[in-house]
Amino acid sequence: MEPVVSELAVNLARAQFAFTVSFHIIFPAFSIGLASYLMVLEGLWLKTGNDTYLRLFKYWRKIFAVAFGMGVVSGIVMAYQFGTNWSVFSDKAGPVIGPLMAYEVLTAFFLEAGFLGIMLFGMGRVSKRLHFIATIMVAFGTLLSATWILSVNSWMQTPAGFSINEAGQFIPESWMEIIFNPSFPYRLVHMVLAAYLTTAFVVGAVGAWHLLKDRTNKEARKMFSMAMWMAAIIAPIQIIAGDFHGINTLEHQPAKVMAMEGHFESHPEGAPLYLFGIPDQENQELKYAIGIPKASSLILKHDLNAPLAGLDTIPREDQPPVAIVFWSFRVMVGIGMLMLLVGVTSLFLRWRKRLYEASLFHKFALVMGPSGFVAVLAGWITTEVGRQPFTVYGLLRTTESIAPVEAPAVAASLLAFVVVYFALFGAGTYYILKMMNKTPGELAKLPGTVTRTAGTTPAASLDPDAMNPAE
């Protein structure tokens, strides 16, 4: 007989994992896009010989190093929670998710670790070609890491390629079906584009900040221009990708979409798109609803009169927390629309040759700097809370996945995480913001530290920036 875990302990364990994953995800979302940006900057420098690209590369490389380190540290903590608070889930789903997470370490993490040192410290010590290859490998490693992790998460959302043995464990039957499960391609594209947008808006905000102080700053103009191109190109593509992802979710996780849309009732002749409302799950209604008639059917089915089922077709015990999913989805979509507005406005200003002079737009871009992080968090809340009450959708409930833990123990560790995370990552974030406040020229003058073996004679200069003749 399995021990009964209190509802409070379950909720605290969920809150602890939500807290740690929320801190973790913002760093990979930034480093995935930033690694690719560094690759582009170094490639453009090698192709054009323009030292502006080199100075930007060195500027963002230092910021990437700090963000990457915080991402690694926060990710390790999450892995431990699978063995502490969620050991039953690990036992039942481990035969499937364990190898996938191991592949992430053996391929992506080892690839990043092998080339990261060369990218960070090798400029001036290795050939330009080798250094560029190292930067490419780091960028590829971040994307490969995201691929494996999203495969794991997507399998939990849309499980495939498995059987269940006598002990209730998920046993792999087809690794191709497990890895490339039904929601994986859509989730991967959606997340990678989100990472690129997150980075673009951070880079754009930093560029806008320095343009507000000096419109003639060459590095600020270049980074701002590149960020606005990304916003103008990627934002509409992300909206299209999100539409495909939503249609896939409707097919495989209809209850999640019902919660996102606030559809408590079925609509046999076209469902409205609710822009606003207050979900009342107890009474199964959306209060004070404001919507566009039949627009939801048009978006999800591409037919104004297409029927859409509501939560009245889903048993109460299988419904996700509607209010959280409903509002987090609207936060994500709302930010996406603002990102599109920034991209379109930048094209107009570029056409009018006022991209670097429009101070009001620069202030708007500065405010939008953290918008990508908020959108990523809102999107993941929509995804993960929308999967409830299951850890493996439709097959393994959250209440059946938790270890036999006591609420006071989980509460104590959660409190410790809150204190340590805010102190540690708060300091790291402050340091990143401090670096961003400096111009690329100012940041390049910060003293570097290189350790040498005792008894050896130091070279005249071991600062890689000073060793590069291009600056």
Side-chain angles (χ1 to χ4, degrees), residues 387-401:
R387 190 189 61 222
Q388 295 301 317
F390 301 98
T391 48
V392 180
Y393 188 73
L395 298 168
L396 182 63
R397 291 183 176 272
T398 304
T399 53
E400 299 169 347
S401 304

Side-chain angles (χ1 to χ4, degrees), residues 265-380:
E265 298 178 351
S266 299
H267 297 85
E269 297 180 354
L273 174 64
Y274 292 122
L275 304 177
F276 174 84
I278 300 178
D280 182 354
Q281 194 156 4
E282 183 177 351
N283 295 312
Q284 297 285 286
E285 64 175 325
L286 186 67
K287 296 182 177 179
Y288 313 109
I290 299 174
I292 303 173
K294 302 192 177 185
S296 185
S297 290
L298 178 63
I299 293 171
L300 292 170
K301 295 284 191 177
H302 300 163
D303 181 355
L304 284 169
N305 298 309
L308 281 179
L311 287 167
D312 52 4
T313 64
I314 306 294
R316 289 283 187 101
E317 64 271 16
D318 292 341
Q319 294 179 9
V322 177
I324 298 175
V325 178
F326 181 84
W327 283 113
S328 61
F329 177 69
R330 273 146 189 78
V331 170
M332 179 187 68
V333 173
I335 292 176
M337 293 297 104
L338 288 175
M339 288 178 167
L340 179 63
L341 176 62
V342 170
V344 172
T345 304
S346 73
L347 291 176
F348 174 76
L349 291 172
R350 197 185 296 272
W351 173 63
R352 295 295 302 271
K353 301 187 185 303
R354 289 187 48 80
L355 184 64
Y356 307 118
E357 286 73 35
S359 59
L360 186 61
F361 180 66
H362 297 160
K363 293 176 182 177
F364 184 36
L366 180 61
V367 172
M368 287 291 291
S371 62
F373 299 114
V374 179
V376 166
L377 287 173
W380 275 100

Side-chain angles (χ1 to χ4, degrees), residues 7-323:
E7 183 179 356
L8 178 60
V10 174
N11 290 334
L12 285 171
R14 288 180 59 197
Q16 185 178 110
F17 198 87
F19 177 79
T20 54
V21 78
S22 295
F23 265 86
H24 172 68
I25 195 173
I26 61 177
F27 296 112
F30 184 38
S31 60
I32 289 169
L34 192 53
S36 295
Y37 182 52
L38 288 171
M39 178 184 69
V40 170
L41 287 172
E42 187 170 7
L44 288 172
W45 171 61
L46 292 173
K47 181 180 180 180
T48 66
N50 186 342
D51 288 350
T52 300
Y53 293 118
L54 177 60
R55 285 190 288 271
L56 284 175
F57 172 82
K58 292 178 178 180
Y59 180 80
W60 287 105
R61 179 183 61 183
K62 293 180 180 180
I63 294 170
F64 172 82
V66 178
F68 184 85
M70 290 195 290
V72 171
V73 171
S74 58
I76 292 173
V77 173
M78 288 200 319
Y80 278 113
Q81 288 183 70
F82 285 120
T84 54
N85 294 348
W86 303 99
S87 60
V88 178
F89 168 78
S90 297
D91 174 61
K92 293 183 181 297
V96 171
I97 68 169
L100 296 181
M101 298 182 74
Y103 296 154
E104 190 258 344
V105 173
L106 293 173
T107 58
F109 191 73
F110 280 12
L111 184 68
E112 292 167 329
F115 287 97
L116 182 64
I118 299 174
M119 188 190 84
L120 294 180
F121 307 111
M123 185 167 282
R125 293 181 171 84
V126 300
S127 69
K128 292 179 180 179
R129 177 178 295 181
L130 177 56
H131 190 274
F132 185 46
I133 290 173
T135 305
I136 293 173
M137 289 297 102
V138 171
F140 176 68
T142 60
L143 291 172
L144 187 59
S145 178
T147 299
W148 287 117
I149 295 303
L150 288 168
S151 179
V152 171
N153 183 267
S154 297
W155 183 84
M156 293 167 64
Q157 306 279 347
T158 53
F162 68 94
S163 61
I164 300 177
N165 65 11
E166 298 82 0
Q169 294 176 309
F170 297 92
I171 305 300
E173 296 291 342
S174 170
W175 282 110
M176 290 298 291
E177 292 183 17
I178 289 172
I179 295 170
F180 298 99
N181 57 79
S183 66
F184 167 68
Y186 304 94
R187 201 178 312 278
L188 176 64
V189 171
H190 199 47
M191 183 62 207
V192 171
L193 291 176
Y196 285 161
L197 278 173
T198 298
T199 302
F201 276 84
V202 171
V203 172
V206 174
W209 172 250
H210 291 297
L211 284 175
L212 287 168
K213 295 190 290 184
D214 180 9
R215 293 179 182 176
T216 65
N217 186 308
K218 291 191 297 183
E219 290 81 14
R221 291 165 74 98
K222 182 63 69 176
M223 74 171 87
F224 187 71
S225 175
M226 295 176 75
M228 292 303 101
W229 275 122
M230 282 294 290
I233 295 170
I234 300 300
I237 296 176
Q238 176 70 309
I239 292 172
I240 295 171
D243 178 64
F244 280 103
H245 190 18
I247 294 172
N248 176 264
T249 305
L250 178 64
E251 178 182 356
H252 297 282
Q253 295 177 289
K256 181 188 292 186
V257 175
M258 295 170 190
M260 289 160 53
E261 296 293 323
H263 290 162
F264 285 101
E265 298 178 351
S266 299
H267 297 85
E269 297 180 354
L273 174 64
Y274 292 122
L275 304 177
F276 174 84
I278 300 178
D280 182 354
Q281 194 156 4
E282 183 177 351
N283 295 312
Q284 297 285 286
E285 64 175 325
L286 186 67
K287 296 182 177 179
Y288 313 109
I290 299 174
I292 303 173
K294 302 192 177 185
S296 185
S297 290
L298 178 63
I299 293 171
L300 292 170
K301 295 284 191 177
H302 300 163
D303 181 355
L304 284 169
N305 298 309
L308 281 179
L311 287 167
D312 52 4
T313 64
I314 306 294
R316 289 283 187 101
E317 64 271 16
D318 292 341
Q319 294 179 9
V322 177

Side-chain angles (χ1 to χ4, degrees), residues 430-448:
Y430 171 77
Y431 184 63
I432 288 176
L433 292 174
K434 189 175 180 179
M435 287 192 290
M436 288 177 174
N437 187 47
K438 297 181 181 294
T439 64
E442 291 173 327
L443 191 60
K445 295 176 184 177
L446 290 178

Side-chain angles (χ1 to χ4, degrees), residues 405-467:
V405 292
E406 298 292 336
V410 183
S413 59
L414 174 58
L415 180 61
F417 276 128
V418 171
V419 173
V420 172
Y421 268 51
F422 274 106
L424 180 63
F425 295 111
T429 302
Y430 171 77
Y431 184 63
I432 288 176
L433 292 174
K434 189 175 180 179
M435 287 192 290
M436 288 177 174
N437 187 47
K438 297 181 181 294
T439 64
E442 291 173 327
L443 191 60
K445 295 176 184 177
L446 290 178
T449 57
V450 178
T451 304
R452 64 184 180 89
T453 305
T456 61
T457 302
S461 174
L462 289 177
D463 183 354
D465 290 347
M467 293 179 67

